[in-house]
Each structure stands twice: as structure tokens, then as C-alpha cells.
Amino acid sequence: MSLPAAFHEIAARVNNWGRWGGDDERGTLNLITDEAVREAARTVRTGRRVPLALELRQDGVQTGLIPGRVNPLHAMTQINQELFGPGTVATSDDVVTLGLQAGTHWDALTHVSHSGVLYNGRPASSVTPHGGSAFSGIGTARHVVSRGVLLDVARAKGAERLPGGHAVTPEDLDEAAEFGGVDVRAGDIVLVRTGQVQVYLAGDRQAYGHPSPGLSVRTPEWFHAHDVAAVANDTLTFEVFPPEHGDLWLPVHALHLVEMGMLQGQNWNLEELSTACAQERRYAFLLSATPEPFVGATGAPVAPVAVL
């Protein structure tokens, strides 16, 4: 089943192919200029640090819905082993197997394709079984540090959590920006809080993923108009689930990653940040969120930290 005409119309309006050259692999991360980082540093007032990652654990957010996306399987390879003889220094080592998008993560631009193409018009076939992503893998996101902006959609609506199936609209984003007293500008990393991660934190992994609030297919044009560098939220599916338009699956993924070349993140824990921003009455901060640089990977874990 081909994508509908309405999808292609939005795609044409948000398309960034060639904007930073035909060889570009970084997409909207190019909007994070040196000046944008200097401006981000100026938001630091108290030095308060807020971690935004979920714990990587064997009973994490994955339920088996996506084949191969396993929660971390952790094992010890040596425990207090005296490598150089009795009475010498002993070491312990461990190993982990996990889906790179299992927990708090960024999706690389190659995580999704549509109509046989990836960002900047490259063929989807450039992602191969052994080499992974030949272009625009997560390793090209070498440094993701900029001004972060929390759009606390739930709190702006006077709610602890948006209901499952709520499609976050551009109007919701405007309302949250006004609530937080922030103007979203070029190079910002936008964090959209729905409160959905509360369901996981309360112990219900199944309900965390479905039904879920998330971004509407109308929001990519909002992010494009504001020249946002990257966007993340506190849900498993990122976009609203079940889909808002019947059988149109993952349209926001395709518009962000393929058309715009914009990183998107899922499973971010924005609860402590919501409290901190409300207490300090400001919703912009320095955000450090560089993914692990797995060469050729279509996504990677990240341990983001907001500094207020």
C-alpha cells in the first residue's frame, strides 16, 4: 500500500534534501552552530543537573513487540580476577547485549525509509546486513549539545499525563511554549512531555506502549518552521498510537528522519525535568545528549543531562 497524497504534500513542504549539500549526512544537526552552543551555555544559572535517561535493565521498556529489540542482557565475564597472580590487583568485567533503541535513545536518520529512499535521497539499500548504515548512521551525530527546550504539554493543560491516544498538535506545542515562556528557535533541541513515561515508571510496561499519546502528523511542519535541530519525547512510540490516520503507520518518523533529516528520541524520562523547570520557572537549559557512536548503527543509547 503506497503512502497517501497528503503525506507526500507534507513531505514536499518539510523536505531538507540538498539544504546543506548533496553529501550531507547530519541533517538538522547542522543548525547547531557555534553561536547556538554559546547561547545554550548562557542558559546555565544554578548548575542544577537533571538526568533524563531511563535505567538500562533487563526488565526495561521493551515487551517483545519489535523483534530483536531486546532489553539489556547483562553478564559478568570476570569477577575479582587476579590477572597477575595471588594478592595482586583484581579486576571485574562485564558484557551486555541490547537493542540499540531499547531504552532512552536517538533514532539515526537511517532508522526509517520510505518509497525506497533515506535522507538526502540516498537509496534504502545502502543499509546492509553486515555494514549497517553506509551513510547517516548514528556515528555521524558526533556531538549533540545545544539549548534544550521543554514543551511540557501535559502541565500546560493542567494534567499530570495526557490520555492514551492524544495526538499532540502544533497548537499544543504553541500552548506549551507560551506556558513555559520560551520562543523555540533555530538549533534548539525540543523535548515534548506527555507524562506517558509515568505508566512505565509505575510498573506497567504493556500499557506504556499502547495506547499512547504522541506527536501528530501535523507537527513536522511546526518543527521545520522553527528550524528545530532534534526532538525527543517520553513515549515508546514517539508518535500517537494507535495511528491517527488508520493504516498510515509511522508517518512522523518518515517525515522527521527521511524528509527533514532530524534526529528523534524516545523513552526519555522528563518527569524530574518537569518538576525542576516548574520550580525554577524557566523551560530552557543547556542539554548534552550525544549518542554512543556505534559505526553504521541506525540508533543508539543516550544518557542526556539538562543543566539549568
Side-chain angles (χ1 to χ4, degrees):
M1 180 177 177
S2 60
L3 293 166
F7 172 88
H8 290 289
E9 290 167 5
I10 298 172
R13 292 195 290 269
V14 302
N15 185 274
N16 281 327
W17 295 3
R19 181 175 176 181
W20 296 284
D23 295 330
D24 178 60
E25 299 184 46
R26 289 170 49 79
T28 54
L29 291 182
N30 288 290
L31 295 165
I32 304 178
T33 62
D34 292 347
E35 178 57 27
V37 176
R38 287 195 294 271
E39 286 297 316
R42 295 187 184 105
T43 65
V44 178
R45 300 178 190 173
T46 65
R48 183 176 183 175
R49 289 143 292 169
V50 182
L52 309 179
L54 295 175
E55 291 181 334
L56 288 170
R57 50 191 303 150
Q58 192 163 338
D59 57 348
V61 299
Q62 300 303 321
T63 60
L65 177 66
I66 302 175
R69 189 177 286 189
V70 296
N71 288 312
L73 305 174
H74 175 254
M76 301 304 299
T77 56
Q78 58 184 31
I79 299 175
N80 298 321
Q81 185 171 352
E82 296 175 324
L83 296 174
F84 307 103
T88 62
V89 173
T91 62
S92 298
D93 272 8
D94 30 16
V95 66
V96 68
T97 299
L98 79 160
L100 292 183
Q101 288 120 323
T104 304
H105 68 273
W106 285 119
D107 288 336
L109 305 188
T110 50
H111 174 56
V112 161
S113 65
H114 78 79
S115 309
V117 294
L118 300 163
Y119 168 66
N120 233 0
R122 291 193 169 93
S125 59
S126 62
V127 181
T128 61
H130 299 292
S133 305
F135 307 98
S136 295
I138 201 65
T140 62
R142 298 183 300 277
H143 36 73
V144 182
V145 178
S146 191
R147 191 178 82 137
V149 172
L150 177 65
L151 297 185
D152 199 335
V153 176
R155 193 180 285 265
K157 292 183 176 299
E160 279 299 309
R161 175 167 63 89
L162 298 179
H166 178 97
V168 175
T169 65
E171 292 78 16
D172 290 337
L173 299 178
D174 285 333
E175 180 184 35
E178 182 177 359
F179 172 82
V182 289
D183 293 319
V184 176
R185 59 197 186 204
D188 283 349
I189 300 172
V190 171
L191 309 181
V192 180
R193 178 178 174 267
T194 70
Q196 179 69 4
V197 77
Q198 294 175 10
V199 178
Y200 167 71
L201 295 174
D204 194 340
R205 293 193 300 163
Q206 295 291 340
Y208 170 57
H210 179 271
S212 176
L215 293 176
S216 161
V217 72
R218 295 176 53 215
T219 55
E221 291 188 77
W222 191 95
F223 293 113
H224 185 264
H226 288 80
D227 265 344
V228 169
V231 59
N233 73 9
D234 56 351
T235 76
L236 180 73
T237 56
F238 187 79
E239 50 200 275
V240 62
F241 191 82
E244 58 189 315
H245 297 294
D247 292 332
L248 182 55
W249 297 89
L250 302 181
V252 181
H253 278 67
L255 292 166
H256 283 178
L257 300 171
V258 179
E259 299 294 334
M260 296 171 63
M262 183 174 69
L263 291 187
Q264 64 176 42
Q266 287 120 285
N267 301 320
W268 290 43
N269 185 356
L270 304 179
E271 294 304 290
E272 184 180 346
L273 182 62
S274 174
T275 299
C277 287
Q279 289 173 342
E280 301 206 11
R281 298 182 181 180
R282 55 193 179 95
Y283 285 76
F285 39 84
L286 176 66
L287 179 65
S288 175
T290 302
E292 292 297 329
F294 287 97
V295 174
T298 63
V302 62
V305 177
V307 186
L308 286 88

